[in-house]
């Protein structure tokens, strides 16, 4: 069995990647000399552009290293364990045995009227693999497979 991403996962990944790209393209193709001349005496707008740069950095950092790297990983099961491919299944592959983990922890969240569940696979009190009902179509099947082979902490 392999994990299947929802359209929400692909939409979030596209949004995370394009948000800073759009800002860069606006910067690249705007008449930057006029912008700097206008900003020279306007501190409010200067602070806004600095704040916008900080937000871009945060979105890119959080999106790439937390959301896409950790939570949007492809999971496929083998006879003795499972494989995790980071970055939407395009990144590095990690192979784990069920015995490598102490168990799993479930956390429930309510956001904008929706219920989301995160499953953390824990080894030595450290979550190594995280997956969410937001990003996987077959989340319940994946969670059931882990429940067969691991204990819930």
């Amino acid at each position: 069995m392999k994990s299947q991403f929802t359209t929400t996962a692909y939409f979030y990944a596209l949004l995370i990647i394009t948000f800073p790209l759009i800002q860069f393209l606006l910067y690249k193709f705007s008449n930057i000399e006029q912008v700097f001349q206008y900003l020279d005496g306007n501190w409010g707008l200067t602070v806004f552009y600095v704040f916008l740069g900080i937000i871009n950095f945060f979105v890119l950092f959080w999106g790439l290293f937390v959301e896409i790297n950790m939570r949007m990983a492809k999971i496929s099961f083998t006879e003795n364990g499972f494989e995790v491919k980071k970055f939407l299944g395009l990144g590095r592959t990690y192979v784990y045995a069920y015995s490598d983990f102490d168990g799993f922890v479930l956390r429930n969240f309510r956001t904008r009227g929706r219920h989301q569940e995160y499953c953390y696979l824990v080894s030595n009190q450290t979550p190594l693999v995280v997956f969410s009902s937001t990003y996987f179509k077959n989340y319940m099947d994946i969670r059931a497979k882990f429940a067969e082979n691991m204990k819930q902490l």
Side-chain angles (χ1 to χ4, degrees):
M1 176 175 54
K2 289 186 177 184
S3 60
Q4 300 171 352
F5 289 120
T6 61
T7 53
T8 303
Y10 291 118
F11 176 72
Y12 283 168
L14 184 66
L15 188 65
I16 288 166
I17 293 168
T18 59
F19 182 73
L21 183 66
I22 289 171
Q23 294 295 323
F24 173 76
L25 291 176
L26 286 174
Y27 169 79
K28 184 74 174 162
F29 293 113
S30 66
N31 191 350
I32 201 67
E33 288 87 18
Q34 280 184 338
V35 171
F36 282 128
Q37 286 174 353
Y38 184 71
L39 290 179
D40 192 26
N42 192 341
W43 282 100
L45 202 54
T46 303
V47 169
F48 172 74
Y49 277 113
V50 168
F51 181 70
L52 189 63
I54 292 169
I55 293 294
N56 277 332
F57 175 75
F58 178 75
V59 166
L60 190 62
F61 181 80
W62 181 265
L64 285 178
F65 295 109
V66 175
E67 292 296 325
I68 293 179
N69 186 30
M70 289 183 61
R71 297 182 181 146
M72 292 185 201
K74 280 256 190 211
I75 300 171
S76 58
F77 293 95
T78 61
E79 291 180 21
N80 299 332
F82 58 97
E83 295 178 352
V84 177
K85 284 187 169 184
K86 303 284 184 169
F87 284 106
L88 292 167
L90 303 173
R92 186 173 176 194
T93 302
Y94 297 90
V95 179
Y96 296 109
Y98 294 117
S99 59
D100 294 342
F101 293 90
D102 301 330
F104 65 95
V105 177
L106 299 175
R107 295 286 181 249
N108 296 310
F109 300 98
R110 284 189 61 89
T111 58
R112 287 176 262 153
R114 285 188 46 200
H115 168 77
Q116 296 178 5
E117 186 175 277
Y118 283 85
C119 183
Y120 300 89
L121 303 181
V122 179
S123 175
N124 297 325
Q125 298 181 348
T126 305
L128 294 180
V129 179
V130 181
F131 58 98
S132 168
S133 61
T134 305
Y135 301 129
F136 292 109
K137 286 181 187 177
N138 57 345
Y139 171 79
M140 296 304 285
D141 298 332
I142 294 170
R143 190 183 78 176
K145 185 75 172 175
F146 283 119
E148 288 174 9
N149 298 297
M150 291 183 203
K151 66 178 181 175
Q152 185 173 353
L153 302 174

